[in-house]
Amino acid sequence: MSQSIISPAIISPATQIDPNYNFAYLNEQTKKMIRRALLKAIAIPGYQVPFAGREMPMPYGWGTGGVQITASILTPDDVLKVIDQGADDTTNAVSIRKFFQRTAGIATTLNTSTATVIQTRHRIPEQKLQQGQILVYQVPIPEPLRFLEPRETETRKMHAFEDYGLMHVKLYEDISQHGHIATTYAYPVMVEDRYVMDPSPIPKFDNPKMNNNPALQLFGAGREKRIYAIPPYTKVVSLDFEDHPFEIQAWDQPCEICGAGDSFLDEVIMDDQGTRMFVCSDSDYCQSRSEVQS
Amino acid sequence: MNQPLFSVTNLSKKFGKTIACNDISFDLWPGEILGIVGESGSGKTTLLRSIAGLIKPDQATINYQHKNKTLNIDQMDEPELRHLQRTEWAFVHQHPRDGLRMNVSAGANIGERLMANGWRHYDDIRAEAIKWLEAVEIDAKRIDDLPRTFSGGMQQRLQIARNLVTNPRLIFMDEPTGGLDVSVQARLLDLLRGLVRDLGLSAIIVTHDLAVARLLSNRLMVMKDGQVIEHGLTDQVLEDPQAAYSQLLVSSILQV
Amino acid sequence: MPILQIKNLHKKFTLHAQNGAVLNVLNGINLQVKAGEIAALCGPSGAGKSSLLKAIYGTYRIDGGDIKVKTTKQTINIAKAEPRQIMNLRRDVIGYVSQFLRVIPRIGALDIVAEPAIMQGMSPDQAHSIALDLLDQLRIPQKLHNLSPLTFSGGEQQRVNIARAMAAPRPLMLFDEPTASLDPQNRQTVLELIAQLRDQGTAILGIFHDPADRKFLHARDIHLSAVKEAEHV
């Protein structure tokens, strides 16, 4: 897709910073601390680095981990895109975008390919990411082993010793209960043949996009105070069984708005009679395809 | 093999000022079943946990024979020790809930050690789980049920299956029949003895029940106040006890 | 050299519960038993006959003297042997029929009888067929074969015990009153089985109270109270 077809309306240019705030809200010491954690996370792909997470002016669960990472990596020249479940126009995405417009004065965009930093909740954009872009994930529970092993001391050892039998226990339980691996989001992956990682609650549809991605992928968990990362061009493999291989979701029909047959679809209920339609969850992708067609 | 499978030298363990194990040494030869008996507080469970690598003794040399190589357990890195613990060793806890994952199915409990050892074929794992459920006399139909829906005796048998699935060579058991009804105990003892014999296992079993010790073990160690006060063939210790305490212990067995 | 050779054997019990009272049960015993021979321990109750059998089997610890058992490979002194050496001897060299059957509840008679043979390396099928044959000879009804002998009568238990030893004959067999609670018919069968063992070259040491039994077996009497004089080795 060429730049020419993007309507100018979806880029908001840089503005004045609210003078009451330091650039991007966090103080410089905190940003340095978080950058150190990020460097460590990038050096050890998939490894969860603890960091001294700060209180942010939003509740836990609204992306405090992702916001702290974004705040720490933003420069005045960056162009920020924020998505929530693939959409740029939901409350969470809008308020985070406004937060950085006000505290960092940076340009924002709804367009995936124009953005230099994309903060996301629960999706990876359909548009292929490029080298130089950074994808920041908001993570609720960073520990993939947590539901089966409640002890943090024990899960840390399991990671340290690559003692990952338990992860397959979860998938085994899925198959024994449902006949197939029923985990559809937060589907565990093995990063660079070493660390098992929770990719945050993205649909497993997005898992293959993490593999060998040219962009840098950063993950921030605010409540649990953990940061982890997938550097560009890193091997990311979804866990599975030989006789129950990993598969992504598929739909019987294309998107009813843009006709895409290769995107993740949301089911939308249209009226009280239960009429439904399936449309792209990635609003930018859907819109730009529609614009090309019209 | 012309040397002990497992050998413990000068093991000591203190908790604060309390001496739990004082300078204990013994060998276990391939195929042997060693019973450790003694009253509560005699240090037998601490000894078992120390030699199985679950707690660190203050002092000890512990050697284990692995493929013509002597592994020095007390100097071993934790990852290496854990690997041993989930492959060639097994530990059966007194309370099944300490040795089972109560929130996953029976099949997953058995399969976990296999998956930890690299098994990645679901149907194979499941077939193995069914084989072991049958070996411990649990109806294969219960494979997808949670352990909490099982009786105490079934839970204990499930724990044993979970441990034996990787064909360990050495199994540690802490009061394996402890919380069970007498009738269930007999069944479990029979099962354990058959498995140990058929699989050529060596075992170290802690129990306060001399009847259990008599039926399962070839050799006995009697412990009191952290010391081994008597050591010999099971029938030697039970029929010709030497130490005053062993004589008291043996004469206290209830006859039916 | 005989299969069993005992020299100057001493055994005492120290009873700690009774202020350390000492019972001397075996005082300088000397005896030997050769292959193909039946020796019968005689003497009054309390002379230490059963204790001597238990000392030979390794159940009682020895306070002095030697109990040498000759195997195909070596001669082992039970008085000084390691537990695992004794365990191996019990599996391959010494069989012992005690007066009481001690088994795990729930295991059927047939399996109990077959077990020692399986331990010696026999295939389970073969061991079971031998066990079946012995139980038949000893008149244990088929319907009992899969029941635990703990529910059997005293005489039946004793016959299971004997069958268990016979299924895995070893070069040295010890019998503690094998015919004590048997009816005449079964007693005769047991004696014939023991005589068969002897004819196959087994060294047998036993306690047989009935002089008729000893006569039938052509047993050489060893009087325990007079062992020292009787057996100058």
Side-chain angles (χ1 to χ4, degrees), chain B residues 12 24 53 74 84-85 92 106 108 111 132 140 143 146 150 162-163 167 184 194 204 206 216-217 228 231 233 255-256:
Chain B
S12 295
I24 293 171
D74 50 293
L84 201 59
Q85 285 168 337
V92 175
W132 277 98
I143 187 168
L146 293 179
F150 289 10
R162 168 180 160 92
N163 271 286
N167 295 320
V184 180
I204 300 177
V206 159
L216 281 183
S217 57
V228 172
H231 191 172
L233 288 166
Q255 302 288 335
V256 276

Side-chain angles (χ1 to χ4, degrees), chain C residues 92-194:
Chain C
D92 299 325
V93 182
I94 311 176
Y96 172 50
V97 180
S98 67
Q99 286 178 277
F100 305 102
L101 183 67
R102 230 189 275 271
V103 291
I104 293 188
R106 218 176 73 109
I107 307 185
L110 194 65
D111 286 334
I112 285 174
V113 173
E115 192 190 12
I118 295 171
M119 295 297 277
Q120 286 182 351
M122 192 183 280
S123 76
D125 285 351
Q126 198 185 350
H128 277 103
S129 102
I130 289 173
L132 194 65
D133 187 46
L134 280 162
L135 287 175
D136 280 345
Q137 282 189 57
L138 289 161
R139 300 177 189 83
I140 304 290
Q142 288 251 347
K143 62 177 190 216
L144 296 183
H145 286 186
N146 291 317
L147 300 180
S148 168
L150 292 180
T151 59
F152 294 5
S153 72
E156 284 165 343
Q157 288 197 6
Q158 190 163 24
R159 280 178 276 148
V160 169
N161 215 4
I162 289 163
R164 178 175 159 89
M166 295 288 180
R170 281 141 278 186
L172 173 62
M173 297 295 287
L174 312 172
F175 289 92
D176 192 346
E177 302 195 44
T179 56
S181 49
L182 301 183
D183 57 79
Q185 211 182 7
N186 282 312
R187 161 185 298 235
Q188 189 57 34
T189 307
V190 168
L191 290 175
E192 281 165 11
L193 283 169
I194 293 174

Side-chain angles (χ1 to χ4, degrees), chain A residues 36-53:
Chain A
R36 275 196 295 269
L38 285 169
L39 286 175
K40 183 169 178 182
I42 293 164
I44 317 170
Y47 172 74
Q48 299 166 47
V49 182
F51 78 109

Side-chain angles (χ1 to χ4, degrees), chain B:
Chain B
M1 203 191 294
N2 215 11
Q3 53 189 332
L5 175 70
F6 189 75
S7 111
V8 175
T9 315
N10 304 125
L11 183 142
S12 295
K13 173 75 183 171
K14 277 195 249 179
F15 293 111
K17 283 186 176 162
T18 313
I19 298 170
C21 297
N22 187 15
D23 201 24
I24 293 171
S25 303
F26 66 89
D27 290 336
L28 183 78
W29 292 74
E32 277 187 337
I33 303 174
L34 173 67
I36 304 175
V37 296
E39 60 197 3
S40 304
S42 59
K44 55 191 192 305
T45 294
T46 300
L47 175 62
L48 189 75
R49 296 176 67 82
S50 300
I51 60 179
L54 301 186
I55 53 176
K56 201 145 182 60
D58 300 331
Q59 188 202 323
T61 306
I62 304 171
N63 289 325
Y64 171 71
Q65 286 302 317
H66 166 83
K67 295 177 186 154
N68 300 324
K69 215 175 96 191
T70 303
L71 299 182
N72 192 219
I73 302 300
D74 50 293
Q75 302 289 325
M76 208 177 232
D77 288 344
E78 195 172 350
E80 237 185 316
L81 182 61
R82 282 187 171 223
H83 181 75
L84 201 59
Q85 285 168 337
R86 66 169 187 252
T87 52
E88 291 187 25
W89 288 10
F91 196 103
V92 175
H93 295 264
Q94 175 175 8
H95 302 295
R97 63 175 175 274
D98 295 334
L100 289 174
R101 288 194 190 280
M102 299 304 276
N103 53 353
V104 302
S105 68
N109 265 288
I110 298 176
E112 181 177 350
R113 269 169 81 113
L114 297 174
M115 292 183 253
N117 290 316
W119 285 47
R120 292 291 177 266
H121 194 281
Y122 175 82
D123 286 346
D124 289 353
I125 293 164
R126 204 161 165 86
E128 198 70 9
I130 287 172
K131 188 182 110 189
W132 277 98
L133 282 175
E134 284 166 354
V136 297
E137 301 172 12
I138 295 175
D139 188 346
K141 287 204 275 293
R142 304 294 302 270
I143 187 168
D144 294 328
D145 294 349
L146 293 179
R148 70 168 58 91
T149 66
F150 289 10
S151 69
M154 283 168 75
Q155 287 181 2
Q156 194 58 297
R157 279 180 275 137
L158 179 62
Q159 191 193 178
I160 288 164
R162 168 180 160 92
N163 271 286
L164 293 183
V165 67
T166 49
N167 295 320
R169 297 167 66 213
L170 175 58
I171 180 161
F172 303 93
M173 297 192 222
D174 187 7
E175 305 272 9
T177 60
L180 305 176
D181 288 344
V182 179
S183 61
V184 180
Q185 271 192 21
R187 189 169 175 202
L188 189 69
L189 286 174
D190 170 22
L191 181 81
L192 275 176
R193 221 172 75 127
L195 288 171
V196 163
R197 185 191 65 199
D198 298 345
L199 304 172
L201 295 173
S202 305
I204 300 177
I205 298 171
V206 159
T207 178
H208 68 277
D209 186 337
L210 291 180
V212 169
R214 177 192 280 279
L215 292 174
L216 281 183
S217 57
N218 314 116
R219 279 165 52 208
L220 274 190
M221 279 194 339
V222 182
M223 284 188 73
K224 186 177 192 305
D225 301 332
Q227 317 256 11
V228 172
I229 56 165
E230 188 149 356
H231 191 172
L233 288 166
T234 299
D235 54 326
Q236 270 176 357
V237 174
L238 293 180
E239 296 195 31
D240 186 15
Q242 304 291 305
Y245 175 73
S246 317
Q247 291 188 357
L248 180 70
L249 198 67
V250 170
S251 65
S252 313
I253 304 177
L254 293 174
Q255 302 288 335
V256 276

Side-chain angles (χ1 to χ4, degrees), chain A residues 122-137:
Chain A
H122 304 187
R123 275 311 309 278
I124 298 175
E126 307 290 0
Q127 169 84 45
K128 218 173 154 0
L129 298 178
Q130 303 300 316
Q131 203 167 310
Q133 287 185 305
I134 301 175
L135 186 60
V136 179
Y137 296 74

